Every structure is written in C-alpha cells, then in structure tokens.
Amino acid sequence: MTLLAGKRVLITGGSTGIGAAAAVEAARQGADVAINYASSEARALQVIEQIEALGRKGLAVQGDVADPATATDFVAKAVEALGGVDVFVTNAGICPFHAFLDMPVEVVDRTFQVNLHGAYYMVQAAANQMVKQGKGGAIVAVSSISALVGGEFQTHYTPTKAGVHSLMQSAAIALGKHNIRCNSVLPGTILTEINKDDLADTEKRDRMAARVPLGRLGEADDLAGPIVFLASDMAKYVTGAALLVDGGAFVNLQ
Ligand code: RM4
C-alpha cells in the first residue's frame, strides 16, 4: 500500500536532512515531489535523482524562503510541472547557535525571517493554491521539541519553532472549511546540517544522546514516516496537532 499515491508533494529545504528524507519517502509512497532549496543545487539534484529512480516526477526550485516572492514562485513552478499541490511540508530552517546577551540583530532577524516568516509565506501560498483546486490538502510544518523547551544558545530560534506550530494551529482553524489539514512534527535532536557544528562538541553530543530514552540521537529518516502519516489520509481527522518525534527526550526528566 502506498500512502501518497497520486499526490503532488512540495517540500521546502528539501536538498538535505529532514526535507530530503521526507521528499524521497513521499516518492516511495507514490507521490510526485517538488523541493525548494536555498543553495545546495548538487544535493537538490541528487534528491531529484532518487525521486525519479522511484518512478516519480521530481522538480528542484532554488529560492530563499525569507523572500515572500519565493513562495509564490515555488508553488507556481510546482503547479506547472506537477499539475497541482496536495501536500505542503514547510521544513526550511536555520539555527545559528549564539549567546543571548550579545546576540547580533542580523542573526535574530535572519533566523526569524527564514524559520517563521518563510514558513508563513510558504503556507499561505500553498493554501491559496489548495483552495483554488477545491480538493482539500495537507500541510505539515517541521516545528521542533524546541517549541516546548528552551536552549541557552537558541533564544532567537526557539520562539520561531513555537511560532511555526502556533501557525499550524491557527491555519488549521482558518483552513478547516476547505478540508485542508495543518499539523506539526516536533523533532528532537536530529543529526543534520543544522547542528553539525554544534554537535561536533562530543561532550555535548554525548550529553544530548544520554537524555534520549531510545538511546540515540535521531536521523533525518526518523521524521519521514511521521511526516508522511500526517500528510496522508491515514490522518484524515487530524488537524492542529503536534507530533513529538524525539525518542522520548521531552518527557525524560529522570
Ligand atoms: C532542534 C533541537 C536540537 C538542535 C537543533 C538545531 O530544534 O533544539 O537539539 O540540535 O534544533
């Protein structure tokens, strides 16, 4: 059984990490897939190769999600290539770790513009296309465990992840009348480009892994299934929800 047979799936930040894993799994589940990427063209094209090797159509579109025009451009090019939008995954995000007291304005602004403003513009563009199609749809945001807990060097980042899930809650209300569902996955510490430098500190990496009941940090592929589930008709009565995908880290006080 394929969970996304015949669907047209769009994913931001799809050239690496969680976005890339979700894109390939969506194709494995029967979808045609368009990915947005910021700068890694070679990696984006490798993801397209994997999608096409699974017998599905693939499209890679470059664009900075912080620019509102990127959203309408990405959706328009995907509609032209794939024929429409049934599932939208807003995943693109950055986390430039930095201390709070001397946090530069430009670091705060860029993090908000990419993680929150970019998600907003993309979700709005996808929702307008889905409403125009009149056949409903599913929107999945890659929020984070950091929507629920803090980080000393993430004071600029955690509010954006909380905001992304809050956006899903409000969009779920606004779009329910159109049968468009909006949900969040909340990844724990997943080994990707976003934290490669931070977790090069082996003491921190071991400390983060030690608080995970399942005994390991996550991999991008650990998010593919939960994203496909929320995107699929298996979740047809799920909207405004948050799904922790963290190996149990959030609940592990002692
Ligand atoms: C996640 C969580 C992880 C961190 C990444 C960058 O939301 O905070 O621990 O490694 O962000």
Side-chain angles (χ1 to χ4, degrees), residues 94-97 143-147 149-151 154 157-158 161 186-196 198-199 204 208 217:
I94 61 173
C95 182
F97 288 82
S143 174
S144 168
I145 188 174
S146 295
V149 290
Q154 297 178 302
Y157 168 84
T158 60
K161 288 304 183 178
L186 277 57
T189 302
I190 312 298
L191 293 165
T192 65
E193 291 293 315
I194 200 171
N195 52 25
K196 183 172 66 174
D198 180 58
L199 295 179
K204 177 172 184 180
M208 300 297 285
L217 296 181

Side-chain angles (χ1 to χ4, degrees), residues 10-34:
L10 277 59
I11 302 178
T12 66
S15 64
T16 66
I18 292 169
V24 173
E25 185 58 33
R28 189 173 291 116
Q29 293 297 328
D32 292 333
V33 184

Side-chain angles (χ1 to χ4, degrees), residues 99-117:
F100 176 51
L101 293 177
D102 60 347
M103 175 79 74
V105 170
E106 59 272 15
V107 176
V108 177
D109 288 354
R110 180 66 182 164
T111 303
F112 269 75
Q113 286 162 4
V114 171
N115 294 4
L116 185 54
H117 302 167

Side-chain angles (χ1 to χ4, degrees), residues 23-246:
V24 173
E25 185 58 33
R28 189 173 291 116
Q29 293 297 328
D32 292 333
V33 184
I35 60 172
N36 147 275
Y37 69 95
S39 57
S40 314
E41 181 179 25
R43 285 180 168 178
L45 294 177
Q46 287 171 353
V47 173
I48 299 303
E49 283 177 13
Q50 294 178 69
I51 291 166
E52 292 175 341
L54 289 163
R56 307 309 311 176
K57 288 181 187 174
L59 173 71
V61 181
Q62 192 281 330
D64 178 358
V65 298
D67 177 354
T70 297
T72 48
D73 175 65
F74 179 41
V75 170
K77 286 176 177 169
V79 169
E80 183 181 357
L82 308 182
V85 183
D86 302 300
V87 174
F88 194 92
V89 180
T90 176
N91 162 74
I94 61 173
C95 182
F97 288 82
H98 199 292
F100 176 51
L101 293 177
D102 60 347
M103 175 79 74
V105 170
E106 59 272 15
V107 176
V108 177
D109 288 354
R110 180 66 182 164
T111 303
F112 269 75
Q113 286 162 4
V114 171
N115 294 4
L116 185 54
H117 302 167
Y120 192 99
Y121 303 142
M122 283 285 180
V123 168
Q124 186 185 49
N128 274 309
Q129 177 60 31
M130 290 173 177
V131 169
K132 182 178 172 184
Q133 293 169 180
K135 296 180 181 175
I139 297 173
V140 181
V142 179
S143 174
S144 168
I145 188 174
S146 295
L148 309 174
V149 290
E152 179 181 358
F153 299 98
Q154 297 178 302
T155 54
H156 55 324
Y157 168 84
T158 60
T160 68
K161 288 304 183 178
V164 163
H165 177 54
S166 182
L167 170 61
M168 287 299 97
Q169 291 175 314
S170 292
I173 302 165
L175 299 174
K177 63 176 74 72
H178 301 290
N179 194 32
I180 298 169
R181 299 180 297 104
C182 303
N183 295 288
S184 299
V185 289
L186 277 57
T189 302
I190 312 298
L191 293 165
T192 65
E193 291 293 315
I194 200 171
N195 52 25
K196 183 172 66 174
D197 294 341
D198 180 58
L199 295 179
D201 173 349
T202 54
E203 186 278 325
K204 177 172 184 180
R205 180 175 174 147
D206 292 345
R207 177 159 41 88
M208 300 297 285
R211 66 167 290 166
V212 180
L214 290 184
R216 64 174 176 87
L217 296 181
E219 302 284 347
D221 187 58
D222 291 323
L223 274 292
I227 290 170
V228 165
F229 163 69
L230 289 173
S232 77
D233 291 341
M234 296 283 279
K236 61 184 180 295
Y237 197 59
V238 181
T239 196
L243 178 55
L244 268 169
V245 187
D246 68 346

